[in-house]
Amino acid sequence: LKKGAKMSGEFLGTFYNSVNKQKWITIPAGIKKKFAPSAKQQVVVTIGPKSNIAIYPLDNWNKKIEELSNGNEREKKLLIMLRTFASAQQKMEANGRVKIQNELLSLAQIDGKVIIKGEGNYISVWNPERYRVYTQELMKEHTKSFNTLDYQ
């Protein structure tokens, strides 16, 4: 990546969708338009941090792999996990469709409905019930840690 070249992101938003019988999901237009030209509409799909799925635009994947390769032992373990579960790089179809491998769908307990969420530099795909539990836990922590004045 050239110095000063724009990376893909920042991916934001939560979208309700589904995985079809052929194991394709559709990346929402609001997220898709945040892909940088350097990503060439290519993605890598791998395991996510919360028993979910992570979809990286190619530019962000390459940057993450480089960071982890030069990292400490913990980061190198994450690198092994990401590579172990990663699909081959694939081109996102014009309509935003991306193929998800059966192994990842099974690990994330996804069958039918999905939640697609922007996570800054990658996109997560969730089982809706797991996402509901995760956000409830986040809110409990949030209300303990922050108040109205923190938002001012």
Side-chain angles (χ1 to χ4, degrees), residues 116-133:
I116 298 169
K117 181 166 177 3
E119 301 281 2
N121 67 335
Y122 73 96
I123 302 148
S124 63
V125 183
W126 294 79
N127 164 308
E129 179 56 21
R130 280 188 172 178
Y131 182 74
R132 188 186 66 74
V133 169

Side-chain angles (χ1 to χ4, degrees), residues 3-63:
K3 192 128 178 90
K6 188 175 172 333
M7 297 290 291
S8 294
E10 169 165 1
F11 303 118
L12 297 173
T14 305
F15 305 86
Y16 296 82
N17 210 319
S18 56
V19 58
N20 72 14
K21 298 250 185 295
Q22 291 78 38
K23 314 301 183 208
W24 292 88
I25 63 158
T26 301
I27 303 296
I31 287 180
K32 202 176 81 156
K33 72 179 183 192
K34 298 281 191 168
F35 274 60
S38 58
K40 300 179 176 81
Q41 299 300 304
Q42 300 274 324
V43 297
V44 175
V45 182
T46 190
I47 194 74
K50 299 284 181 189
S51 297
N52 55 4
I53 296 169
I55 301 174
Y56 282 90
L58 186 59
D59 57 339
N60 294 359
W61 171 260
N62 290 337
K63 182 174 187 265

Side-chain angles (χ1 to χ4, degrees), residues 87-106:
S87 65
Q89 145 188 347
Q90 61 176 297
K91 188 164 180 58
M92 180 171 50
E93 294 191 347
N95 64 0
R97 285 193 334 166
V98 172
K99 181 94 166 164
I100 309 290
Q101 58 272 44
N102 287 332
E103 179 184 30
L104 288 176
L105 291 170
S106 176

Side-chain angles (χ1 to χ4, degrees), residues 64-114:
K64 187 70 182 166
I65 293 304
E66 185 181 338
E67 287 170 5
L68 294 175
S69 298
N70 297 317
N72 59 31
E73 194 169 328
R74 181 177 173 273
E75 291 165 322
K76 287 188 170 125
K77 280 183 182 167
L78 176 56
L79 174 64
I80 291 167
M81 284 299 288
L82 291 178
R83 282 182 171 152
T84 298
F85 291 99
S87 65
Q89 145 188 347
Q90 61 176 297
K91 188 164 180 58
M92 180 171 50
E93 294 191 347
N95 64 0
R97 285 193 334 166
V98 172
K99 181 94 166 164
I100 309 290
Q101 58 272 44
N102 287 332
E103 179 184 30
L104 288 176
L105 291 170
S106 176
L107 288 169
Q109 295 180 355
I110 290 172
D111 181 29
K113 299 283 180 224
V114 296

